[in-house]
Amino acid sequence: MAEITAAMVKSLRDKTQLPMMECKKALQQAEGDEEKAIEILRKNGLAKMSSRSDRETAEGRIAIYVGPNATAMIELQCESAPVANTAEFVELANALAKQLAEGPGATTSEELLAQGDLSRQYNDLMNKIREVFKIPRILRVEGVVGAYVHHDAKIGAIVEVEGDNTDVANKLSMQVAAMSPRAVSVDDLSPEIVAKEREIAEAQTLEQNPNKPESIRARIVEGRIKSVLKDICLLDQAFIEDSNTTCGEVAKKAGLVVKKFHRWGVGR
């Protein structure tokens, strides 16, 4: 068996950032061959992470990359908040989003990780940190968009538009992130949402106005529904930078037609 020196162990430790004893054992298995030892460490690390795959990944971050031809948003999850804010984890999330936008595209995280050097980067960091990582969602859209990621990277939003005013589109994406609308306009709301809001409005109105005629209660219900539906529709919401105007008016003035939006929060 080849002699495993302290210098060899230190060299492997510096390259993998793994514990000294694990590095020594891997070198012994590899008979001193550093490249084989690295492969052994990777396989052992992946096996350990696989056995822990059912552990909760409630933390993480949203990353968005706006490229010349496409925009991508990914959610990268981990187990703890401190890990989500490390430079290496941030770098990995950004690399995933950039590859999704600039590469050939992907519909699953497995397809995305198979591109470039992402799989090695992902597995090596997971092995080093010893937490389970997951990529539950990826999104790639083409065309003009507005994009926004909250300062803590817990919420991200993309707004798809027709037009070329990206500054206003970005502000609308900030609106989506902050105010969490449920549809672009009232016409886009599902019948189920409208029916549920009507049910709530009718119950509240009856409780608060039990003695009023049914015709009056019906008008109150319609007013309440109209108010609630405006609050949950992007174009009808008061613009966060100027409450005297609506997002629809801001978009129209900027020559934008809002087609669709996507709002993600880590784990939700």
Side-chain angles (χ1 to χ4, degrees):
M1 179 179 293
E3 180 184 0
I4 307 302
T5 66
M8 294 167 65
V9 175
K10 183 178 184 304
S11 174
L12 185 58
R13 169 74 173 81
D14 290 342
K15 290 182 179 179
T16 64
Q17 300 298 304
L18 294 175
M20 298 286 281
M21 287 306 299
E22 290 192 27
C23 291
K24 184 176 181 179
K25 288 179 182 178
L27 283 167
Q28 289 172 338
Q29 284 183 256
E31 297 184 342
D33 187 317
E34 188 174 74
E35 290 303 315
K36 288 183 180 179
I38 290 174
E39 188 63 29
I40 289 170
L41 288 170
R42 283 177 178 164
K43 289 179 179 178
N44 289 343
L46 289 176
K48 288 179 182 178
M49 290 301 104
S50 178
S51 69
R52 302 173 185 174
S53 61
D54 60 342
R55 283 160 54 167
E56 184 179 14
T57 52
E59 297 293 338
R61 61 193 305 110
I62 304 296
I64 294 178
Y65 183 87
V66 181
N69 301 311
T71 298
M73 179 162 61
I74 65 97
E75 178 184 6
L76 179 60
Q77 293 182 347
C78 58
E79 297 177 47
S80 66
V83 167
N85 294 316
T86 62
E88 290 172 302
F89 193 84
V90 173
E91 181 182 354
L92 174 59
N94 291 338
L96 288 164
K98 182 177 181 180
Q99 177 62 34
L100 182 58
E102 294 191 339
T107 57
T108 66
S109 59
E110 291 79 13
E111 288 180 11
L112 179 58
L113 285 173
Q115 297 175 19
D117 198 37
L118 289 178
S119 180
R120 184 202 59 77
Q121 186 179 354
Y122 178 91
N123 290 328
D124 283 357
L125 184 58
M126 185 166 58
N127 188 20
K128 173 184 171 182
I129 292 178
R130 303 303 175 91
E131 284 197 4
V132 174
F133 293 173
K134 291 180 182 177
I135 310 172
R137 290 179 288 186
I138 64 173
L139 171 72
R140 184 179 190 271
V141 296
E142 297 181 356
V144 181
V145 304
Y148 173 78
V149 178
H150 196 53
H151 66 86
D152 62 1
K154 297 297 185 184
I155 297 173
I158 291 175
V159 176
E160 300 181 48
V161 300
E162 291 179 0
D164 60 3
N165 194 323
T166 54
D167 180 56
V168 171
N170 287 335
K171 290 179 179 179
L172 291 174
S173 67
M174 186 184 299
Q175 174 92 22
V176 169
M179 303 306 294
S180 190
R182 298 170 70 178
V184 172
S185 68
V186 173
D187 292 339
D188 297 316
L189 286 170
S190 69
E192 292 77 16
I193 290 177
V194 176
K196 185 63 177 178
E197 293 300 335
R198 178 175 293 279
E199 179 184 332
I200 293 171
E202 288 175 346
Q204 289 176 339
T205 301
L206 180 60
E207 181 181 357
Q208 296 169 8
N209 306 276
N211 299 319
K212 288 188 177 180
E214 185 176 342
S215 59
I216 293 178
R217 289 204 305 268
R219 289 200 295 272
I220 294 174
V221 167
E222 291 306 316
R224 283 182 166 172
I225 291 175
K226 186 176 181 180
S227 177
V228 170
L229 295 187
K230 281 188 174 182
D231 284 342
I232 64 177
C233 294
L234 174 62
L235 296 183
D236 289 318
Q237 287 182 344
F239 187 45
I240 54 175
E241 290 192 357
D242 180 1
S243 61
N244 293 318
T245 187
T246 66
C247 291
E249 291 167 341
V250 170
K252 184 177 181 180
K253 185 176 179 180
L256 297 178
V257 175
V258 179
K259 300 188 295 181
K260 192 175 183 180
F261 66 78
H262 312 268
R263 183 188 186 276
W264 292 357
V266 172
R268 61 187 194 282

